[in-house]
């Protein structure tokens, strides 16, 4: 019996040694990280404006907010997407918006009314209403209400310019929170319209005739439809209304600093459009920059590349951070 016990003990010891040899300890890799960016929270479909007619809800506008984490209030960039005057998809250009948020900005992408039911100046009023709402709720989203800029592309660039040209102009204020300001400190217009009377100015005669027609989206934007109290004809048939609906009309010494960017391969909005307002502001002594992006079209991958994004971020840093 003793021999059996000793044999089992020896077997146990040798088994333990063999098992111990089979178990290997794997080493983990260590990362020593310098913190440069914060976590970002997305708040979606936040309502900021509604409209009723005869007891019926006629429109309801929302915004999406990207909020970087942090204790100190951050500057805000209001982001206005384009859509040919007939739509406003606030979920577009997520790469641009995330890059701006990574750079330390709260970014609010906002909706606005579109043609044909929405017509000028209602979309401008909508964007200004969004800015007032954001100022009224600045603490909730860690926003510095004294540091607000605006950025838009295409029709959104048009609206961005309009907001930057009309600080303090009461005719563009409507809706709620009217005791708050809709003023901005700077504006960026990325391949946007600045004069609705000649959107196709760089293109052939057939293209220009299309823009002058009653069916052009800028005609619906400016004049509406006759069914809902609008006027018939293209924008050239109504020069006074077209001038009022063109940002270049409002260029003045009081305009905020602006950034313009346009692709030389843009086939939808003439590259000369951004140059019109750029030249007008320069002549008024307003700080403004304009860049032509080679081979860039009306949208596409060029507009999310780092050199383009750096220009945008440097522009906003200059007026909202420094």
């Amino acid at each position: 019996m003793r021999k059996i016990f000793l044999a089992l003990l020896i077997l146990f010891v040798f088994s333990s040694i063999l098992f111990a040899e089979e178990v290997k300890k794997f080493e983990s890799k260590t990362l020593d990280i310098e913190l440069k960016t914060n976590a970002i929270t997305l708040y979606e479909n936040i309502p900021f404006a509604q409209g009723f007619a005869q007891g019926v809800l006629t429109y309801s506008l929302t915004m999406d907010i990207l909020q970087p984490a942090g204790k100190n209030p951050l500057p805000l960039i209001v982001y206005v997407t384009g859509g040919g005057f007939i739509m406003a998809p606030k979920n577009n250009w997520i790469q641009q918006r995330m890059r701006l948020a990574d750079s330390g900005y709260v970014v609010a992408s906002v909706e606005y009314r579109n043609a044909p039911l929405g017509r000028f100046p209602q979309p401008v009023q909508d964007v200004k209403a969004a800015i007032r709402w954001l100022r009224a709720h600045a603490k909730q989203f860690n926003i510095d209400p004294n540091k607000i800029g605006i950025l838009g592309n295409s029709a959104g660039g048009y609206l961005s310019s309009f907001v930057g040209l009309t600080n303090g102009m009461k005719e563009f204020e409507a809706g709620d929170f009217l005791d708050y300001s809709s003023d901005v400190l700077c504006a960026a217009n990325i391949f946007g319209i600045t004069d609705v009377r000649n959107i196709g100015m760089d293109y052939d005669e057939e293209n220009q005739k299309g823009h002058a027609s009653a069916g052009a989206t800028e005609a619906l934007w400016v004049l509406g439809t006759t069914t809902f109290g609008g006027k018939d004809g293209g924008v050239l048939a109504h020069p006074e209304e077209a001038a009022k609906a063109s940002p270049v009309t409002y260029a003045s010494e009081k305009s905020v600093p602006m950034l313009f960017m346009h692709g030389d391969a843009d086939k939808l909005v003439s590259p000369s459009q951004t140059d019109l307002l750029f030249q007008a502001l320069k002549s008024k002594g307003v700080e403004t920059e304009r860049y032509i992006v080679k081979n860039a079209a009306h949208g596409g991958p060029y507009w999310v590349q780092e050199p383009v994004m750096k220009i945008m971020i440097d522009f906003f840093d200059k007026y909202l951070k420094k």
Side-chain angles (χ1 to χ4, degrees), residues 3-304:
K3 291 181 179 179
I4 295 173
F5 176 77
L6 288 174
L8 290 172
L9 180 62
I10 292 170
L11 180 62
F12 174 78
V13 171
F14 275 103
S15 298
S16 299
I17 293 171
L18 290 171
F19 180 77
E21 289 178 350
E22 290 177 359
V23 176
K24 296 181 180 179
K25 187 176 180 180
F26 299 98
E27 292 188 5
S28 300
K29 296 179 179 179
T30 300
L31 294 177
D32 186 6
I33 297 175
E34 179 185 357
L35 296 180
K36 293 184 177 181
T37 61
N38 287 322
I40 297 171
T41 300
L42 168 64
Y43 299 95
E44 293 183 282
N45 301 318
I46 304 169
F48 70 88
Q50 293 180 327
F52 292 84
Q54 298 179 342
V56 177
L57 180 65
T58 57
Y59 68 92
S60 181
L61 303 175
T62 65
M63 68 173 72
D64 293 345
I65 296 177
L66 293 172
Q67 180 189 338
K71 294 181 179 179
N72 297 323
L74 297 173
L76 167 69
I77 296 176
V78 177
Y79 197 101
V80 193
T81 59
F85 293 141
I86 56 175
M87 53 185 172
K90 62 180 172 56
N91 57 322
N92 279 1
W93 294 101
I94 185 63
Q95 287 168 282
Q96 281 193 357
R97 291 187 284 130
M98 282 295 298
R99 183 70 177 81
L100 292 165
D102 272 336
S103 299
Y105 292 95
V106 178
V107 182
S109 183
V110 305
E111 293 179 324
Y112 51 91
R113 280 173 282 181
N114 310 126
L117 296 181
R119 57 184 286 197
F120 178 84
Q122 291 170 338
V124 181
Q125 294 169 344
D126 293 338
V127 177
K128 286 177 174 281
I131 296 170
R132 295 195 309 271
W133 188 97
L134 286 158
R135 271 203 170 91
H137 297 84
K139 289 185 178 180
Q140 291 175 242
F141 298 100
N142 204 32
I143 294 168
D144 184 339
N146 298 312
K147 295 180 179 180
I148 298 179
I150 187 168
L151 164 67
N153 56 73
S154 194
Y158 162 100
L159 289 168
S160 176
S161 287
F162 235 117
V163 170
L165 294 164
T166 56
N167 277 351
M169 297 180 66
K170 298 299 182 183
E171 60 265 40
F172 294 106
E173 305 287 351
D176 298 325
F177 299 103
L178 290 171
D179 50 335
Y180 287 85
S181 171
S182 66
D183 288 1
V184 297
L185 296 180
C186 55
N189 178 338
I190 311 302
F191 52 81
I193 301 96
T194 66
D195 191 336
V196 298
R197 295 165 291 191
N198 49 14
I199 295 175
M201 59 193 299
D202 295 327
Y203 308 140
D204 58 32
E205 185 178 351
E206 184 178 356
N207 186 296
Q208 293 181 33
K209 285 182 179 179
H211 280 291
S213 73
T217 55
E218 60 263 37
L220 299 175
W221 178 268
V222 176
L223 305 171
T225 65
T226 54
T227 304
F228 295 99
K231 296 181 179 180
D232 196 11
V235 291
L236 298 182
H238 300 276
E240 184 176 348
E241 286 88 344
K244 286 181 180 179
S246 295
V248 70
T249 301
Y250 301 85
S252 75
E253 295 83 356
K254 296 180 180 180
S255 302
V256 303
M258 288 195 191
L259 167 69
F260 300 95
M261 302 186 80
H262 219 130
D264 65 2
D266 194 324
K267 301 303 181 186
L268 291 179
V269 173
S270 296
S272 294
Q273 277 284 309
T274 48
D275 190 52
L276 289 174
L277 185 51
F278 171 69
Q279 298 296 334
L281 291 173
K282 277 288 190 182
S283 70
K284 301 290 185 181
V286 178
E287 292 185 55
T288 183
E289 307 169 45
R290 182 173 181 263
Y291 294 85
I292 291 293
V293 182
K294 289 185 177 180
N295 303 314
H298 198 77
Y302 281 92
W303 300 106
V304 294

